[in-house]
Amino acid sequence: NAGVTQTPKFRILKIGQSMTLQCTQDMNHNYMYWYRQDPGMGLKLIYYSVGAGITDKGEVPNGYNVSRSTTEDFPLRLELAAPSQTSVYFCASSYSWPGQGTHSNQPQHFGDGTRLSIL
Amino acid sequence: AQTVTQSQPEMSVQEAETVTLSCTYDTSESDYYLFWYKQPPSRQMILVIRQEAYKQQNATENRFSVNFQKAAKSFSLKISDSQLGDAAMYFCAYRRGDHSGGGADGLTFGKGTHLIIQP
């Protein structure tokens, strides 16, 4: 069972470089999320998606972009990397009941995270 | 916006004893869900237990149980018969319900409590 897969696991970037963090899930979940976790803190929501073609901002979206062209994939892009974006990034997905749109009681399944350092 | 507060940065307990981790939250919604997640050194986010706000009965999962006090907006986690494998960061998280008002979907996390198990 693959679940939620994130690549890469580690990456070092220089200031101003760009990169895409990949996230894919094989559970046919409609809802997908990106979070960041700074040292000593809980996770904060960056962006989320309720289905293919639909994305929306979370609590800390500045400096990031997302797209959702398929149910399975939800990549996160950093266009101009800044030291403040040094963090651990988690992708997650959750199930929603077909035709009802209910999902809030469903657990989110997390990937193993990507540790990103920007120097 | 919702906030989640974990006032104990670190807790220590002897193996086989019981420990309680505190969590308070602030929301104006009546429809929401609460979760406890465990994050071991491996960085994985593992769901421990969840509670629906409309249910008065406290959730229980084996050695893990919660004390949900809706009026006080309190959601503490009790771990009975602590084991060495319970050592981890524990995060309390809030999620608005499907029928709540607008705002970003996704989880709002506290800063976490580092649980140490003394052998």
Side-chain angles (χ1 to χ4, degrees):
Chain A
N1 294 335
V4 178
T5 302
Q6 289 184 238
T7 56
K9 293 190 183 303
F10 304 96
R11 184 73 183 268
I12 298 175
L13 282 182
K14 294 183 179 179
I15 295 171
Q17 287 185 321
S18 62
M19 79 161 293
T20 299
L21 281 65
Q22 301 291 345
C23 175
T24 187
Q25 52 92 9
D26 62 358
M27 297 174 282
N28 200 33
H29 287 171
N30 281 332
Y31 285 74
M32 295 188 74
Y33 309 83
W34 275 106
Y35 295 89
R36 60 177 285 173
Q37 184 180 27
D38 298 330
M41 303 290 286
L43 283 66
K44 291 188 177 181
L45 183 66
I46 305 172
Y47 270 96
Y48 67 101
S49 169
V50 302
I54 307 170
T55 63
D56 210 343
K57 296 178 181 179
E59 182 183 357
V60 290
N62 291 344
Y64 306 94
N65 281 300
V66 294
S67 60
R68 185 95 181 271
S69 57
T70 67
T71 299
E72 295 78 18
D73 300 307
F74 190 41
L76 177 72
R77 182 149 181 92
L78 285 70
E79 292 292 351
L80 290 171
S84 62
Q85 293 176 306
T86 293
S87 191
V88 179
Y89 292 83
F90 287 94
C91 179
S93 71
S94 66
Y95 179 74
S96 63
W97 295 99
Q100 298 179 26
T102 56
H103 66 281
S104 294
N105 64 338
Q106 297 300 305
Q108 293 190 8
H109 300 261
F110 287 83
D112 290 340
T114 294
R115 182 176 294 278
L116 180 62
S117 295
I118 299 164
L119 307 175
Chain B
Q2 296 79 23
T3 58
V4 177
T5 302
Q6 293 180 251
S7 58
Q8 305 154 316
E10 187 172 280
M11 292 284 285
S12 182
V13 64
Q14 290 290 130
E15 194 176 1
E17 293 189 345
T18 295
V19 63
T20 298
L21 308 184
S22 301
C23 173
T24 59
Y25 59 95
D26 187 25
T27 183
S28 58
E29 303 289 347
S30 59
D31 179 23
Y32 56 88
Y33 298 86
L34 297 165
F35 304 83
W36 279 97
Y37 278 86
K38 170 185 177 181
Q39 187 179 44
S42 65
R43 211 169 62 194
Q44 287 180 298
M45 293 293 289
I46 303 165
L47 178 66
V48 175
I49 200 165
R50 61 181 164 181
Q51 174 79 42
E52 292 89 341
Y54 63 85
K55 287 187 177 179
Q56 292 186 335
Q57 186 174 4
N58 290 323
T60 300
E61 289 286 346
N62 300 315
R63 298 183 295 108
F64 299 87
S65 61
V66 299
N67 183 5
F68 174 47
Q69 301 290 327
K70 190 171 183 178
K73 295 181 181 175
S74 171
F75 182 60
S76 60
L77 174 69
K78 186 172 81 171
I79 306 174
S80 304
D81 186 25
S82 297
Q83 300 175 1
L84 294 177
D86 295 334
M89 285 292 292
Y90 285 82
F91 293 97
C92 179
Y94 168 101
R95 187 177 190 180
R96 66 177 175 82
D98 298 296
H99 306 293
S100 292
D105 195 354
L107 294 164
T108 299
F109 286 87
K111 292 185 178 181
T113 296
H114 182 210
L115 179 63
I116 298 168
I117 311 295
Q118 305 278 5

